[in-house]
């Protein structure tokens, strides 16, 4: 690890352990709360997937026309139900009877027919610290996304799911991708990484410690016609035709997994999130408890020191006031011996090291307590004051 990296790690560790670990404890508590919230969401999705019926495309109409178990008591019918349907991908033009002009996409690289075509171009960046590259240590903490710049384009055509091995297709399920942010089960048909030749501008970027491009990655992914996938979502009858769309409460929409595999994966996620939340929450509680106790003790010690300092100051003030003579109380102090600050009491304290006798004990004490104590006559920095007594 280089010296700048060690310095960055040292700064981060000091910030994390600030206030006796309170910052670290709060960060861990935030992670634990996020884990428990994700556990709640994943557990709810697991229960929904378990209760959802797994049916074929041909049996979907009968399921949608029946009330669910929760609705049987009220004899009401729901427009949408969560179902799990396993089927084969086909273009919608197959069932529309448009044989002459099939609405289908063709891969540029493999020439396979598809209903979803995604092309991605990623520019990969590297970084050399260079002679002026120390700024990259701080920039990299907040700009990791600068390492790659990705441009992606996706094309889709209307497609359906049908029962495999049955022809002609009388029953089908229309897939509605509107509003779906779920990952798609795409197949990679092209993957090519090309290096980028260096230029004079690249040398300048490296010299000043900036990222510079080193490679260009081209990828093409498709959802091919004839692939068997599983649709998990809200199914309903639209104009008498079954249609499925994504459910925001579920982590799956179109997937290669079966129902049992989805249940196993969600069950594993819930266990990991639950135990991670419990363990991290316990550690955060311990760290925060330790930080609270340590800071409470420090506050009590500071308060005690403050009280002692105030008592000492009050005693010094009383001692200074106790030295006031009867002549000072009656106001019969010669004009040449009055304190230059208050002009009320007699000069009794001399400053060290300058030796000027120009203040009364009370004003001399107030001058000593300043942040930068200086003699009011010569403006020399003083260390203390000495009480002068007449013989």
């Amino acid at each position: 690890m280089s010296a700048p990296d060690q310095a960055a790690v040292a700064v981060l560790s000091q910030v994390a352990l600030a206030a006796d670990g309170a910052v670290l404890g709060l960060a861990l508590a935030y992670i634990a709360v996020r884990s428990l919230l994700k556990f709640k969401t994943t557990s709810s999705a697991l229960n929904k997937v378990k209760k959802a019926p797994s049916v074929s495309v041909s049996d979907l109409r009968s399921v949608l026309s029946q009330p669910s178990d929760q609705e049987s008591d009220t004899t009401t019918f729901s427009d949408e139900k969560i179902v799990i349907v396993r089927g084969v991908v086909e273009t919608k033009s197959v069932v529309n009877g448009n044989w002459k002009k099939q609405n289908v996409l063709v891969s540029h690289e493999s020439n396979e027919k598809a209903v979803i075509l995604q092309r991605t171009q990623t520019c990969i960046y590297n970084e050399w610290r260079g002679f002026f590259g120390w700024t990259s240590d701080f920039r990299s903490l907040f700009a990791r996304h600068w390492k790659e710049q990705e441009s992606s384009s996706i094309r889709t055509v209307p497609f359906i799911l049908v029962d495999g091995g049955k022809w002609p297709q009388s029953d089908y399920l229309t897939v509605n991708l509107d509003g779906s942010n779920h990952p798609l089960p795409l197949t990679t048909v092209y993957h090519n990484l090309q290096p980028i030749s260096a230029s004079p501008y690249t040398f300048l970027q490296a010299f000043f410690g900036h990222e510079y491009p080193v490679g260009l990655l081209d990828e093409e992914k498709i959802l091919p016609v004839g692939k068997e996938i599983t649709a998990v979502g809200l199914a309903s009858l639209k104009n008498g035709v079954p249609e499925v769309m994504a459910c925001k409460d579920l982590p799956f929409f179109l997937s290669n997994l079966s129902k049992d595999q989805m249940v196993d994966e969600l069950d594993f996620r819930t266990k990991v999130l639950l135990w991670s939340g419990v363990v991290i929450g316990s550690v955060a509680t311990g760290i925060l408890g330790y930080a609270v106790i340590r800071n409470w003790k420090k506050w009590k010690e500071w308060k005690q020191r403050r009280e002692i300092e105030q008592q000492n100051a009050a005693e010094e003030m009383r001692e200074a006031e106790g030295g006031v003579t009867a002549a000072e109380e009656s106001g019969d102090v010669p004009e040449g011996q009055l304190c230059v600050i208050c002009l009320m009491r007699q000069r009794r304290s001399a400053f060290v090291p300058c030796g000027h006798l120009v203040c009364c004990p009370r004003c001399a004490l107030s001058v000593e307590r300043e942040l930068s104590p200086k003699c009011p006559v010569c403006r020399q920095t003083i260390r203390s004051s000495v009480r002068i007594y007449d013989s």
Side-chain angles (χ1 to χ4, degrees):
M1 185 181 293
S2 62
D5 291 336
Q6 293 178 356
V9 171
V11 171
L12 291 177
S13 61
Q14 290 179 359
V15 172
L17 298 178
D20 293 313
V23 176
L24 178 61
L26 291 175
L28 292 177
Y30 174 76
I31 296 174
V33 171
R34 289 290 302 271
S35 298
L36 293 177
L37 292 177
K38 289 183 179 179
F39 161 75
K40 182 179 179 181
T41 304
T42 308
S43 178
S44 175
L46 175 61
N47 294 330
K48 291 181 180 179
V49 172
K50 283 183 177 180
K51 295 179 181 179
S54 179
V55 296
S56 61
V57 177
S58 57
D59 297 333
L60 187 58
R61 291 178 181 272
S62 60
V63 173
L64 295 178
S65 61
Q66 296 176 358
S68 61
D69 297 337
Q70 297 178 354
E71 296 169 344
S72 58
D73 297 336
T74 58
T75 65
T76 59
F77 294 86
S78 175
D79 294 336
E80 297 178 342
K81 295 180 182 179
I82 298 178
V83 296
I84 302 175
V85 184
R86 187 79 174 176
V88 177
V89 176
E90 284 288 350
T91 60
K92 197 171 183 181
S93 59
V94 173
V95 296
N96 290 339
N98 189 4
W99 296 96
K100 296 182 180 180
K101 185 179 179 181
Q102 293 187 1
N103 192 4
V104 65
L105 302 175
V106 180
S107 170
H108 297 280
E109 304 298 335
S110 63
N111 293 325
E112 294 184 37
K113 295 181 179 180
V115 293
I116 298 178
L117 176 63
Q118 180 179 358
R119 293 184 61 87
T120 305
Q121 189 176 72
T122 306
C123 188
I124 302 174
Y125 286 80
N126 198 357
E127 182 181 46
W128 181 64
R129 301 189 186 282
F131 296 99
F132 302 96
W134 60 271
T135 55
S136 62
D137 296 328
F138 299 97
R139 185 174 63 251
S140 61
L141 297 176
F142 306 99
R144 286 294 181 185
H145 61 279
W146 287 1
K147 299 299 182 183
E148 294 184 357
Q149 290 185 358
E150 181 179 286
S151 61
S152 179
S153 63
I154 185 170
R155 296 171 56 196
T156 62
V157 296
F159 67 98
I160 59 175
L161 297 182
V162 297
D163 287 329
K166 293 184 179 180
W167 195 262
Q169 301 294 343
S170 57
D171 294 317
Y172 61 91
L173 173 65
T174 304
V175 179
N176 187 354
L177 293 176
D178 295 340
S180 172
N181 294 323
H182 298 75
L184 298 173
L186 302 181
T187 303
T188 302
V189 294
Y190 181 72
H191 183 92
N192 185 25
L193 177 61
Q194 297 178 351
I196 296 179
S197 301
S199 64
Y201 179 68
T202 304
F203 172 75
L204 291 177
Q205 287 178 312
F207 183 80
F208 288 99
H210 294 285
E211 296 88 355
Y212 57 93
V214 295
L216 188 64
L217 176 63
D218 287 324
E219 284 185 312
E220 186 177 69
K221 297 181 180 180
I222 63 171
L223 181 59
V225 175
K227 182 178 181 179
E228 187 176 10
I229 62 174
T230 303
V232 185
L234 297 172
S236 60
L237 292 174
K238 297 293 181 67
N239 298 324
V241 178
E243 181 182 272
V244 64
M245 61 187 304
C247 179
K248 295 181 179 179
D249 297 334
L250 299 179
F252 305 106
F253 178 37
L254 301 178
S255 174
N256 294 321
L257 305 177
S258 63
K259 179 180 179 179
D260 295 336
Q261 292 173 335
M262 292 180 186
V263 170
D264 293 339
E265 183 174 341
L266 290 176
D267 185 58
F268 177 75
R269 287 187 194 177
T270 53
K271 292 179 180 178
V272 171
L273 291 173
L274 175 62
W275 285 109
S276 62
V278 171
V279 172
I280 296 176
S282 301
V283 174
T285 302
I287 294 176
L288 288 175
Y290 171 79
V292 169
I293 294 174
R294 288 281 300 174
N295 285 282
W296 173 257
K297 290 181 178 179
K298 287 183 178 180
W299 181 80
K300 290 180 66 177
E301 292 176 357
W302 174 83
K303 188 176 180 181
Q304 291 176 357
R305 289 197 302 268
R306 182 80 176 184
E307 292 177 353
I308 293 173
E309 291 176 357
Q310 291 178 354
Q311 291 177 0
N312 293 335
E315 291 177 357
E316 292 176 357
M317 188 65 69
R318 285 196 296 270
E319 290 178 358
E321 293 177 352
V324 178
T325 61
E328 294 177 3
E329 292 179 353
S330 59
D332 297 335
V333 179
E335 185 176 354
Q337 298 183 8
L338 288 175
C339 173
V340 297
I341 296 179
C342 65
L343 299 177
M344 293 175 59
R345 292 176 289 274
Q346 188 176 358
R347 303 175 182 180
R348 293 289 186 182
S349 295
F351 292 113
V352 179
C354 66
H356 286 119
L357 180 64
V358 292
C359 292
C360 65
R362 183 183 300 180
C363 293
L365 187 61
S366 63
V367 171
E368 287 182 35
R369 291 175 180 171
E370 293 179 356
L371 294 177
S372 179
K374 294 182 180 180
C375 174
V377 176
C378 64
R379 306 306 297 169
Q380 181 181 352
T381 302
I382 62 174
R383 295 195 300 269
S384 61
S385 62
V386 178
R387 175 68 184 270
I388 305 299
Y389 296 91
D390 296 335
S391 57

